[in-house]
Amino acid sequence: MKVTILGAGVIGVTTAYQLAKAGHQVTVVDRQAGPALETSFANAGEVSFGYCSPWAAPGIPQKALKWLFMKHAPLILRPKVDAAMLSWLVKMLSNCTSERYAVNKSRMLRLADYSRIALADLRTETGIAYDERMQGTLQLFRTQQQLDASAKDVKALAADGIPYEVLDRDGCIRVEPALSRARDKIVGGLLTPKDETGDCFKFTNALAAKAAELGVQFIYGRTIKDLQVEGGQIRGILTDQGPITSDAVVVALGSYSPLLLKQVGIGLPVYPVKGYSLTIPIVDPALAPESTVMDETYKIAITRLGDRIRVGGMAEISGYTNDLGLARRNTLEHSVMDLFPGGDVSRAAFWSGLRPMTPDGTPVIGATKIRGLFLNTGHGTLGWTMSCGSARVVSDLVSGRKADIDTADLSVARYG
């Protein structure tokens, strides 16, 4: 079968690799000059199979109001006349209940744990390297209130059989020795030991090379204009340099997916939530993290990537803008230097990317009302984490096989 994948980020490339393994003739189309040059380029580097939660959670509306007035706020809202933004915000707020949180987190954990297995298998079969480490994620709490509030996450982890450990201050320092210099600033943490870290850009480029060896054709510098549909069946795509015919199309365009799908009558509640990162060279390894530390106060991940520290986070709802604000950089620097002053921030690379967020936190994976048109998008902050499992699921569905996990609640149909 001829399959065209739209998007060469980590989602598109992992999907291409799995479909090629399944015996399909695969083409990947992207407007950039190579793989992983947008949201996958400089993300936080955490592969968080256990630290995997919806942004929509009980208490978030109240917290959001407080965050709007914080100097180093994890959430920034720049309201504008945008029906898509308003609709997404309303849907997101409707998911901020205990009942919806439990449902959404459970299905996210299901997909993330499957992705853990898929990534391990892929690493074994390809041998690719990407500054990977397997030392877990430490969710770090600066207040007792944060530690107490983690009970809901512990409950969900236990229900799904995901390993975890609740740590006191000394336990956190045992896992991350450099925190000893900041011991008075923390009260405890939640460790998910099966989590990993790695450079998503390196991973995606290495896997793209493996996919090309399997026959995948990558077409770069090509803008996707439209989907070609005839009689309710996908026939291919139209680009700025002409059409490409296909038996099946997989949309993996991240935040830009809903703009394309709207043209064929598919409403996809995915909206861009901008995140920022700093990549800092390490000058003192003893003052750097060993793995990933999630600073719960600022919602910022601090990750060891080889000889660098990647600091990523924040959620800015401002539409399709990619400017770099100095205030956002200051927040990243404040978090990392407060806990791990082992890097040279004067030489840091500053970056931003648009995360494709759904209002319930779960990505949109599966078939659509148009035969042969499949979606693999909406992964939010967890695209790197869920990429390998999502790719396997889509490969199975395109190939007409039953997926290894339940996918009934992952498709766009769940939104009605």
Side-chain angles (χ1 to χ4, degrees):
M1 186 186 298
K2 292 176 64 177
V3 184
T4 300
I5 297 171
L6 311 184
V10 67
I11 301 297
V13 170
T14 51
T15 304
Y17 177 81
Q18 292 296 339
L19 283 165
K21 273 183 59 184
H24 299 288
Q25 182 181 341
V26 182
T27 301
V28 179
V29 184
D30 196 284
R31 65 184 178 183
Q32 296 291 347
L37 289 176
E38 294 201 23
T39 305
S40 301
F41 180 70
N43 63 21
E46 54 179 327
V47 190
S48 305
F49 309 117
Y51 182 76
C52 182
S53 300
W55 279 79
I60 285 295
Q62 294 84 355
K63 289 181 181 178
L65 289 174
K66 181 181 71 173
W67 288 335
L68 292 176
F69 300 98
M70 283 175 58
K71 179 181 178 181
H72 297 298
L75 173 67
I76 305 98
L77 176 62
R78 294 181 180 174
K80 56 178 65 181
V81 181
D82 184 346
M85 177 191 285
L86 179 60
S87 175
W88 184 88
L89 285 169
V90 170
K91 288 184 174 73
M92 193 274 285
L93 289 171
S94 72
N95 277 278
C96 292
T97 66
S98 297
E99 181 181 6
R100 291 308 307 163
Y101 181 86
V103 170
N104 295 335
K105 185 174 178 72
S106 179
R107 62 188 177 191
M108 290 172 72
L109 285 172
R110 181 203 320 151
L111 181 59
D113 196 51
Y114 181 57
S115 197
R116 175 182 61 81
I117 298 167
L119 175 57
D121 290 346
L122 187 149
R123 198 163 46 232
T124 299
E125 68 192 46
T126 63
I128 60 176
Y130 47 93
D131 287 334
E132 68 278 9
R133 289 190 175 207
M134 290 77 180
Q135 293 171 249
T137 293
L138 176 62
Q139 186 180 3
L140 196 68
F141 306 123
R142 293 176 182 256
T143 69
Q144 187 62 41
Q145 185 179 14
Q146 291 172 346
L147 180 59
D148 294 342
S150 69
K152 66 181 184 303
D153 290 324
V154 168
K155 183 178 179 181
L157 291 169
D160 284 88
I162 308 297
Y164 69 90
E165 186 178 354
V166 179
L167 303 176
D168 59 12
R169 181 183 287 117
D170 290 335
C172 292
I173 294 170
R174 170 177 54 80
V175 173
E176 288 286 355
L179 286 173
S180 61
R181 295 162 178 81
R183 64 175 294 118
D184 293 338
K185 299 174 183 178
I186 62 178
V187 299
L190 175 61
L191 176 68
T192 43
K194 294 294 185 180
D195 287 1
E196 305 177 9
T197 59
D199 188 320
C200 186
F201 176 77
K202 285 187 176 182
F203 172 87
T204 306
N205 276 267
L207 189 61
K210 295 292 183 181
E213 292 175 6
L214 294 177
V216 175
Q217 180 186 11
F218 288 89
I219 301 176
Y220 297 117
R222 190 80 63 92
T223 300
I224 299 153
K225 308 292 286 186
D226 202 358
L227 297 167
Q228 297 188 314
V229 181
E230 182 181 314
Q233 171 74 45
I234 196 75
R235 299 300 181 189
I237 65 168
L238 180 65
T239 76
D240 60 345
Q241 297 179 43
I244 298 174
T245 59
S246 309
D247 301 308
V249 170
V250 180
V251 177
L253 291 171
S255 296
Y256 295 89
S257 300
L259 305 184
L260 181 67
L261 293 167
K262 185 179 180 180
Q263 298 178 39
V264 292
I266 296 176
L268 178 67
V270 165
Y271 197 77
V273 176
K274 185 160 65 171
Y276 295 86
S277 77
L278 286 175
T279 304
I280 307 170
I282 294 174
V283 293
D284 186 347
L287 298 179
E290 291 296 320
S291 188
T292 289
V293 172
M294 172 58 71
D295 187 345
E296 182 65 17
T297 297
Y298 304 110
K299 300 289 186 182
I300 287 174
I302 304 167
T303 299
R304 177 76 164 263
L305 294 178
D307 59 358
R308 301 158 294 151
I309 300 173
R310 175 70 53 75
V311 190
M314 291 176 288
E316 181 177 307
I317 304 171
S318 56
Y320 291 85
T321 62
N322 229 336
D323 56 306
L324 292 168
L326 181 60
R328 309 288 85 80
R329 178 175 181 140
N330 290 341
T331 297
L332 294 172
E333 289 187 3
H334 173 76
S335 176
V336 66
M337 297 307 289
D338 198 37
L339 298 173
F340 298 103
D344 183 358
V345 294
S346 69
R347 293 192 287 144
F350 188 31
W351 173 88
S352 72
L354 301 180
R355 309 182 190 104
M357 299 286 288
T358 61
D360 55 19
T362 309
V364 181
I365 302 171
T368 68
K369 64 182 181 181
I370 297 173
R371 294 189 303 277
L373 179 63
F374 298 83
L375 307 183
N376 195 2
T377 188
H379 295 72
T381 60
L382 295 164
W384 184 192
T385 296
M386 295 181 171
S387 57
C388 293
S390 300
R392 270 193 183 179
V393 167
V394 170
S395 178
D396 286 338
L397 296 177
V398 171
S399 303
R401 298 189 300 264
K402 183 178 180 181
D404 293 333
I405 61 171
D406 182 14
T407 62
D409 54 357
L410 299 180
S411 79
V412 69
R414 74 177 185 265
Y415 295 112

